[in-house]
Amino acid sequence: MEILNLIDATSPLSFASAAPKLRRCPISASGGLRPLRACSNMGYTRFTWRRTTKLFSSSKCDTSSLKKMRFAIRNVSVRPLDEDTVEGQIKNNSVSGDAIRQCFLDFYAARGHKILPSSSLVPDDPTVLLTIAGMLQFKPIFLGKEPRHVARAATAQRCIRTNDVENVGRTSRHHTFFEMLGNFSFGDYFKREAINWAWELTTKEFGLPPERLWVSVFEDDDEAYSIWHDEVGVAKEHIKRMGEEDNFWASGVTGPCGPCSEIYYDFLPERGYSNVDLGDDTRFIEFYNLVFMQYNRKDDGSLEPLKQKNIDTGMGLERVARILQKVPNNYETDLMFPIIEKASKLAKVSYAHADDDTKNNLKIIGDHMRAIVFLISDGVFPSNIGRGYVVRRLIRRVVRIGRLLGIKGEGDQNLEGAFLPVLAESVIQLSTQIDPHVKTRTPRILEELEREELRFVQTLERGEKLLDEFLSNALSSSPENGDRPQLSGKDAFLLYDTYGFPIEITTEVAEERGVSVDMNGFDVEMEKQRQQSQAAHNVVKLSVGSDSELASNIPDTEFLGYETLLTSATIKGLLVDGNPVKEVSGGKDVEIMLNRTPFYAESGGQIGDSGFLYSFEDEDGTQKTIVEITDVQKCFGNIFVHKGKIKEGKIAVGLEVDAAVNAKLRQGAKVHHTATHLLQAALKSVIGQETSQAGSLVAFDRLRFDFNFHRPLLEHELMVIEELVNGWVADATHLQTKVMALTDAKRAGAIAMFGEKYGEQVRVVEVPGVSMELCGGTHVNNTSEIRGFKIISEQGIASGVRRIEAVAGDSYVEYVNTRDNYMKRLCSMLKVKAEDVTNRVESILDELITTRTEVSNLRCQMAVLKASLIASKAFMIENTNIRIVVENMDDIDADALKSAAEYLVNSLQDPAAVVLGSCPGDGKVSLVAAFSPGVVKMGIQAGKFIGGIAKICGGGGGGRPNFAQAGGRNPDKLLAALESARAELVVALGEKTS
């Protein structure tokens, strides 16, 4: 019998508050009503009614309760329920993942928690590459560096972790993308409430049988043990005391820490109580972790109580869904299984009847596709560095695994297309309750996936063949030296750099073949090319020590720089080499904290101000101290640190100073920051609203703007962008700046600046009719102050990420004047007018090309003439009719050497072999081999032969069987190389005819 929930569609279903008498019904594990899937967008949730008699006879769920909730019975019918797993459907006796998430949030909302949205997968925290934990957005609050806005909160946080990527699919619980449900207390409630609520949620709201639950506590945490046993009533046999490794959370060597308590579900209670190991994945799964953040670990290792005790919990949504939906692993829950089903369909296999390897591969695809889609939605595009590399690695892993399963293209209709977009559509369909923005970004996600997949497929087959060759060579050579087969780091890097194979895929394939990879050698090769290193940190690092003590003694800095560039201030703190001091004398570098400042601290892409601090004698006004400020940074939340050097005098804590910003440099920053806003508006107008900012730099003399786009901008597009910006500059529009609630700003259409962190109140900078952005930077009052705007470069910096550099204001005038001076000099040299420079240069280039062609032809003719003179030096191998010429041609270039070799091999009677070498200059060596058809038929190939000879000169090369060229970097070895060539030819050809 089906029952349709007719609760008001304007609010999500709250199991905790909407149905107090039916609390155990919605997602009970022991019977009653169970939602098959949440349909909040339609205003109802569909339930399947089982055990009708028990339901109506239960005191907790009677007919009057149903009437109160305005349930209507429709389509009454009786149908049997199959308890077996049915491929393509979640079992009828299970609850949806969306319902579990909502139930968790509703439960804690009813207990005074502020429900906060999930933060982006791209965190503000520079110590982590991606959002890896639910507590990450609250880290500054836990550290005391930011004031709490609420006393308690709850979230459903999207997370990414890739440190266990090799376990995905192989275990029942590892994921790259997952949701962490969490409730947090910031100095409000502590252990008693956290434990009691966790138990109430687990046993009453989720209906999990208490006899199936086990609890772990830290071995010394008697308080938690007592609460669990004496207050909650958990049996002693179901509580395990565990050591620091398992049940004591720490952010690092020092800093906040504390015991934790975990709740486990027992899948096999029949095994009893003896020799229980909660780490046994075949029996238990840990699904709720309660961290009691109550200590600070000091440098000496001792623990001191925190002034503000906090609660940080995490409940894995995928794990709870597995338990409630009664499926064998997290992958087969409704959160992920539809993606696996789609992959199975594309692979033309049945998941239910597949072997373990196939199932594991399908699980990997389902897991990785969720991570890929949500990362791209949050603005992370494939590249070879940082976050982009994480996405690229996952994409290429899915493509490779998909091809192993036989997936090619979109299916029967299009075998040549990309299959990732098809799988992504399944992820997007499941995303509404996780992140509603994903659907609005569908075109960008699908386009990026198709482009990245097809780009990888172009090189995948060649790379796979090469990898197979490398592995075969490693396996065949290992018996000779008795060592384990190993792929060289150089070969692994070649696959990575040339064929786009992530090193993890190379390692994975190699391990399947029993071959190790020389990672040290790979790292050496990588370091040669790497220009910047990006690293993912898989722990959230917190610190409490001298820094936080210093911060607690210094008030937030009052910023006056929007209104003035000069103010009096008091020195509140001094640092030298990172250590607090009371006084600093002249000549030293120093970091200064003031109570107020006109200096802008670096943020939102804009660099910090420069200027001076002055102090004067009280009596005659004689200047006493001068400090030159070269940079200003924010730390500890909102404390401005002025970095500079004492030019004269000395300074001390408590000293009154005058703080003066360099007005000219500030104006440059204002001009370029406003120009950046105009540039982003122009880009969206010209190439599409889907493009988004990926980084920026606002300097005094230029701006740099990184944005997501899949191709270089065309010349006419850049011209239109410049025209738009300069048109807005000429409009002389007054900017409007106001402070408003974040929700109001977003509702008004304001867009966020990359890397900026926002509170509940935000500053909105608007160029009416053009741009509206959330921005704390400094800006011009009127666009006319920008004077002019010029793009000086546009280039790609990573796959899918472009960069524009531009100048405005005084830098624009200087740029134009400099280029004008260059043009005047060029006109003078060419003796033409400016408008004729292009034609004159083209004419000169044509003449140069013609001259070079003539010179090259003459050199070839001279080489052929020289070759005709040395043809007589050809000698015949003893007892054969094979002629050989091996000669040094001195300094002729590679093209001329080629002509000489071709002349000789054609003029000599077949069979003949010619090897020539030369040193054309600049420390280079040129080699060429030309073999007649008769020599090639003997099995001697020019390409393979010349490559080995070139190694003697420190080079390499190759080519066709009958003709090949090579180069080298050691001219001193040329004669030795030619002698080796002569000897090898004699031996090889002699053996072929013997």
Side-chain angles (χ1 to χ4, degrees), residues 562 667 670 674 732-737 766 779-785:
Y562 294 136
Q667 182 64 17
K670 291 165 62 176
T674 305
T733 303
H734 283 284
L735 272 71
Q736 297 179 3
T737 304
E766 181 180 8
H779 290 271
V780 298
N781 294 316
N782 190 290
T783 58
S784 63
E785 296 178 43

Side-chain angles (χ1 to χ4, degrees), residues 160-171 173-176 178 319 331 364 367-368 393-394 397 538:
I160 291 282
R161 290 183 190 173
T162 57
N163 52 319
D164 286 327
V165 68
E166 68 278 0
N167 289 321
V168 171
R170 298 180 181 178
T171 71
R173 59 182 177 84
H174 281 96
H175 302 292
T176 53
F178 59 94
R319 298 185 181 194
Y331 305 94
I364 292 171
D367 169 89
H368 287 10
R393 172 188 173 189
L394 295 176
R397 199 164 189 246
N538 289 302

Side-chain angles (χ1 to χ4, degrees), residues 64-83:
S64 63
S65 297
L66 292 177
K67 290 178 181 178
K68 289 180 181 179
M69 292 189 68
R70 295 187 294 148
F71 276 102
I73 300 178
R74 295 183 179 180
N75 301 325
V76 179
S77 63
V78 179
R79 58 183 179 184
L81 294 176
D82 185 2
E83 292 294 321

Side-chain angles (χ1 to χ4, degrees), residues 185-220:
S185 167
F186 312 110
D188 186 16
Y189 64 82
F190 201 48
K191 290 183 185 179
R192 176 164 284 102
E193 294 87 346
I195 291 173
N196 277 281
W197 286 338
W199 189 256
E200 182 183 355
L201 172 69
T202 301
T203 58
K204 294 184 178 179
E205 299 299 320
F206 292 161
L208 295 182
E211 63 272 14
R212 287 267 188 143
L213 302 179
W214 291 67
V215 172
S216 69
V217 297
F218 180 54
E219 55 191 359
D220 295 335

Side-chain angles (χ1 to χ4, degrees), residues 936-957:
V936 174
K937 287 180 180 179
M938 294 179 191
I940 310 297
Q941 296 189 3
K944 292 183 179 180
F945 181 83
I946 202 65
I949 300 302
K951 289 181 180 179
I952 300 174
C953 299

Side-chain angles (χ1 to χ4, degrees), residues 961-994:
N962 66 319
F963 188 87
Q965 291 179 282
R969 298 181 298 275
N970 193 342
D972 294 338
K973 299 290 186 180
L974 176 59
L975 294 180
L978 292 174
E979 286 297 327
S980 177
R982 181 180 290 107
E984 289 185 23
L985 281 174
V986 169
V987 172
L989 293 172
E991 290 177 350
K992 294 294 182 180
T993 56
S994 61

